[in-house]
Amino acid sequence: MQKADLIIIGAGPGGYEAAVEAARLGMSVVVIEAARVGGTCLNEGCIPTKCFCRHAEVLEDVREAASYGISCGEPQLDMAAVVARKDEVVARLVSGVESLMKTPGITYVQGKARFVQPHVVGIEGGNELFEAPNIMIATGSVAKYLPIEGAHLPGVVSSRELLSLTQVPRRLCVVGGGVIGLEFAGIFHTFGSEVTVVEFCREILPNFDRDIAKRLRTSLKKRGIRFETQAAVTAITRDDVGQLHVAYDEKGKAGECVADCVLMAVGRTANTASLNLDEAGIAYTRRGITVDEHYQTNVPGVYAVGDVNGICQLAHAATFQGFHVLHRICGAQDAIRPDIVPAAVFTVPEVAMVGSTEETCREQGVTYRVLKSFYRANGKALSMNADDGLVKLLVDDAGRILGAHILGAHASDLIHEVAVLMNLDVPVSRLHDIIHAHPTLSELLLHLA
Ligand code: FAD
């Protein structure tokens, strides 16, 4: 039996960042990973999709070149080259994390971990056992498939498979208008697919500010993406010529989308199947492993961070939950605010948010006022040909910032200025005294009214 101060199961952004930090703090750490270090984020999530987003951006820029007085022919996309560049970027980052796993204090074990006892973990197919007073489960999530006929037909894929397609499908049907679905809808539309998004809810991006989501849908529609909202997909069938027929019920009316490829983007579910949680008496629900406000499970010393606890399925949330657990283990305090987690959608235009939405304020009976500033009045935005967008701030009676919602170019960068102000509890009135460089998109925050 090998003993350590901490066992971490899963080397995604929740697990690997915590492992390095724990070693830095002087702990002996065993990291167990079943597949490749980096987890979903590096291998089949954040990074590969952002590579694809960049390809789409370049393609779009070349297509628009004539409007800048630059003439070049119709650009051709080599999908195999797109996938190869993505693989190269991923390999570089994975190799960086592999090096980090050699940090003194870390023992890296390749294999699938399963609980033998509450504080003892074994490896599937092996005899070695590991024991620690503290265990961090960071096993992430897996793509969900709708429980309908045809959900597993050839051509119906999850985001993982879509990232390896070497041919652009002529028609792509995206089932689910959440973050992942919309990013792929935007990418493949730019790559040349005819894209239809079928969403069950009344509006896309159900957890985002409704007004911003509606504006994004309008922008994407203008670009040529089709949307069917309040549409419940009921079955998928494949005809003789290999076309996929996605049947849906739209407010009581039957509809159909014919496609060559269907992306299932209906959410992700906690990855707990292989862990043998019952053996260790660790409580979980369909949402994920049950944890308290410090990410501790019902078994003292056993924690669950990241996608596997179902609280917030974002890479940086996983990382900071992991850091918080380490601080708890060391008996240290930290100032991490789990309620201030920026989130971004890498569509064109981008969307980003932090804090409360108008909907959550109303649900919680919080009074708020809305301040707005528009990209069309910002010099830098116009110079970039990016006048579509706005910044929207929600503030309370005392001028405290409750939330921010941005639609527009570089929203994913701009949101952090507001996140900093919220973390430091700076009232919105102070913003006007903070000198911003000109001409920048950041000036949008100076002109909120
Ligand atoms: P993961 O990254 O999933 O890592 C879990 C690791 O645990 C995996 O490596 C897995 O192999 C391992 N594992 C599982 N079971 C075992 C076991 N029994 N034993 C040993 N190892 C095990 N988030 C963002 O913040 N920004 C984005 O832009 C973004 N884009 C995304 C795009 C896509 C297409 C997808 C699918 C996700 C995206 N996400 C994004 C979400 C992000 O990838 C996840 O929130 C993040 O990876 C969660 O980190 P984690 O450490 O909890 O789990």
Side-chain angles (χ1 to χ4, degrees), residues 83-407:
V83 173
R85 191 187 81 94
K86 177 263 296 179
D87 288 343
E88 221 177 281
V89 172
V90 169
R92 226 168 117 178
L93 288 166
V94 166
S95 130
V97 180
E98 280 167 353
S99 305
L100 288 174
M101 291 301 100
K102 295 180 184 137
T103 304
I106 298 179
T107 304
Y108 180 76
V109 179
Q110 188 71 51
K112 196 175 263 185
R114 63 197 317 269
F115 281 90
V116 177
Q117 288 171 26
H119 287 272
V120 179
V121 170
I123 307 293
E124 202 177 84
N127 300 322
E128 214 172 351
L129 293 176
F130 300 90
E131 184 179 18
N134 300 295
I135 298 184
M136 188 188 291
I137 306 169
T139 49
S141 61
V142 289
K144 273 190 207 161
Y145 276 73
L146 287 178
I148 53 163
E149 179 202 335
H152 296 280
L153 280 172
V156 181
V157 299
S158 74
S159 54
R160 172 193 285 180
E161 290 85 39
L162 207 58
L163 286 163
S164 298
L165 286 189
T166 46
Q167 281 210 323
V168 177
R170 189 165 74 77
R171 295 160 302 180
L172 174 68
C173 177
V174 177
V175 181
V179 179
I180 294 175
L182 292 181
E183 287 187 0
F184 278 110
I187 290 165
F188 277 89
H189 171 69
T190 306
F191 284 0
S193 301
E194 277 171 33
V195 179
T196 304
V197 177
V198 185
E199 165 59 45
F200 177 75
C201 294
R202 271 177 63 183
E203 191 49 270
I204 57 168
L205 293 181
N207 297 326
F208 283 67
D209 189 88
R210 182 75 64 86
D211 167 34
I212 293 282
K214 189 173 169 207
R215 287 171 191 264
L216 174 67
R217 182 165 51 83
T218 308
S219 288
L220 297 178
K221 238 168 123 173
K222 262 196 216 150
R223 287 172 177 267
I225 298 175
R226 281 183 51 208
F227 286 91
E228 302 294 346
T229 50
Q230 285 183 278
V233 173
T234 49
I236 305 172
T237 50
R238 200 179 161 89
D239 65 21
D240 306 346
V241 286
Q243 300 184 120
L244 294 157
H245 296 252
V246 180
Y248 53 83
D249 182 315
E250 193 172 14
K251 290 169 258 169
K253 270 189 8 207
E256 187 185 72
C257 171
V258 184
D260 306 293
C261 179
V262 175
L263 168 65
M264 270 285 168
V266 292
R268 295 180 61 85
T269 192
N271 188 6
T272 53
S274 59
L275 287 169
N276 209 17
L277 293 177
D278 295 324
E279 186 68 35
I282 298 168
Y284 59 97
T285 64
R286 280 177 57 200
R287 193 171 168 219
I289 297 179
T290 310
V291 292
D292 66 12
E293 70 273 31
H294 303 298
Y295 313 108
Q296 184 163 236
T297 67
N298 60 314
V299 176
V302 177
Y303 302 84
V305 303
D307 284 12
V308 77
N309 65 27
I311 295 174
C312 176
Q313 292 186 334
L314 289 169
H316 41 287
T319 299
F320 279 84
Q321 288 175 10
F323 290 161
H324 181 70
V325 167
L326 294 183
H327 301 148
R328 288 281 298 178
I329 292 173
C330 297
Q333 293 286 326
D334 64 41
I336 297 169
R337 290 275 306 265
D339 56 327
I340 305 179
V341 182
V345 191
F346 295 85
T347 41
V348 179
E350 285 186 2
V351 168
M353 68 166 282
V354 62
S356 302
T357 60
E358 286 200 63
E359 290 72 35
T360 52
C361 283
R362 282 200 291 267
E363 271 164 30
Q364 292 162 6
V366 176
T367 50
Y368 63 92
R369 66 200 161 92
V370 180
L371 303 175
K372 287 182 183 170
S373 168
F374 291 89
Y375 276 62
R376 61 174 180 263
N378 177 278
K380 182 68 186 291
L382 293 194
S383 75
M384 294 162 63
N385 210 6
D387 60 347
D388 182 11
L390 83 161
V391 176
K392 180 172 155 182
L393 231 61
L394 310 184
V395 296
D396 70 8
D397 296 338
R400 250 175 12 112
I401 304 171
L402 302 169
H405 305 275
I406 307 179
L407 172 83

